Amino acid sequence: VLLLLVFAIKAAILPLHFWLPETYSEAPAPVAALFAIMTKVGAYAILRMYTLVYGPELGATADLVQPLLMGAAVVTLVVGMVGILGSDRLGRLAAFAAIGSMGTVLISLSRFDAASTGATLYYVVHSTLAGALLFLVVDLVRERRADGTDGYAPAPPMAGHGMVAALFFAAAIGMAGMPPFSGFLGKLLILDALRDTAGATLAWWAILATSLVAILGFAQGGSAVFWKTAPPAPGGAAAADAAAGPALPALPVAAALALAAAIVALTVLAGPVMDYMAATAAQLYAPDGYIAAVLAAR
């Protein structure tokens, strides 16, 4: 249980998520984008520890971890997605989206069987890419807005408004799990893997209901920042030119487009990727070869 708590802090599982919202929302964009994978390290540690050391076949702990993890994961998912709806700036929205995605990951992971783990691994890859994209877009908003913030208060239209808005809504679709991107496929795989398990009803309701909440939260944030703009300050053509600003910076936009392309590739190649994830999950639950290789090396 102590090990689970340590990994739960890293994975930002409620109530041990206290460090994440402000840390992620205030970090520079490249750092926050890299942080998108850091919470997944906590989930990876849980997966390895409770398949290799305290595996499901170990009678003493077989019924200990799963109920704890499932309950905490559902609460994490609900609070994360409600946090998206309650955010007043895009940075906090992205941070709570990261928390919500971890709830989805851990609901599936808590089953500790090969089918749900394979679906979890696919969704982990997707949520990492989508989360990184969202943080990069938030930074583009901060740099392009006249007031230099990512808050929901009306501001004059930013330079490159259309491109930034398109990238934001692509990231929002991915994080909310809407079609046609891989987030939808990942959630579908998770729901299918949990269909015949105990607690499936709770998991289905939690994932589907919070997906709707996330859609509302992203729509609220996107409409406030990109559609409810304020008129530029008076000053004639010079003020208009200053509000327009220079062209979008090439490197951040290229990085965001590369992440968006990776999400599309993950969607198109879902079959081969899922085959690989299923094989990986099968190996996790048959660790004899891994143990023999390590002990032989010793």
Side-chain angles (χ1 to χ4, degrees):
V1 171
L2 288 175
L3 285 171
L4 182 63
L5 290 175
V6 170
F7 302 141
I9 294 174
K10 188 64 178 173
I13 303 174
L14 265 76
L16 305 173
H17 73 300
F18 51 85
W19 60 274
L20 190 148
E22 291 302 324
T23 303
Y24 277 33
S25 63
E26 298 297 336
V31 176
L34 290 173
F35 279 1
I37 199 172
M38 296 306 291
T39 49
K40 310 303 188 295
V41 174
Y44 172 80
I46 291 172
L47 177 61
R48 295 292 283 167
M49 181 61 65
Y50 296 102
T51 56
L52 183 63
V53 181
Y54 302 109
E57 75 285 350
L58 189 64
T61 57
D63 298 326
L64 177 64
V65 175
Q66 191 273 337
L68 291 175
L69 194 58
M70 172 61 90
V74 170
V75 176
T76 301
L77 174 60
V78 171
V79 171
M81 296 309 186
V82 171
I84 293 175
L85 187 59
S87 297
D88 58 356
R89 55 192 178 92
L90 294 184
R92 286 185 65 84
L93 178 146
F96 276 105
I99 294 174
S101 70
M102 285 306 302
T104 303
V105 166
L106 293 167
I107 284 176
S108 180
L109 185 63
S110 67
R111 300 310 310 165
F112 289 108
D113 59 44
S116 62
T117 300
T120 302
L121 294 176
Y122 181 88
Y123 187 78
V124 162
V125 175
H126 160 80
S127 61
T128 301
L129 296 173
L133 173 59
L134 185 58
F135 280 113
L136 289 182
V137 173
V138 170
D139 194 65
L140 285 173
V141 170
R142 290 171 179 165
E143 291 183 354
R144 310 312 292 174
R145 291 186 95 189
D147 57 3
T149 69
D150 59 359
Y152 291 176
M158 68 187 79
H161 179 276
M163 173 65 78
V164 178
L167 288 171
F168 173 80
F169 284 107
I173 289 171
M175 290 300 289
M178 295 172 61
F181 292 148
S182 50
F184 172 74
L185 297 177
K187 286 190 176 182
L188 194 62
L189 289 167
I190 289 173
L191 293 174
D192 183 60
L194 297 176
R195 181 175 52 190
D196 297 324
T197 61
T201 302
L202 174 63
W204 273 57
W205 273 105
I207 291 173
L208 294 176
T210 54
S211 295
L212 176 60
V213 173
I215 292 169
L216 295 175
F218 281 114
Q220 172 184 270
S223 62
V225 172
F226 298 106
W227 291 344
K228 297 178 181 178
T229 56
D241 292 341
L248 286 169
L251 186 59
V253 172
L257 289 174
L259 288 169
I263 294 173
V264 173
L266 186 63
T267 306
V268 174
L269 301 175
V273 172
M274 192 56 205
D275 289 341
Y276 180 84
M277 297 305 184
T280 302
Q283 188 178 24
L284 283 170
Y285 291 95
D288 294 342
Y290 175 84
I291 294 170
V294 172
L295 295 181
R298 255 182 100 188

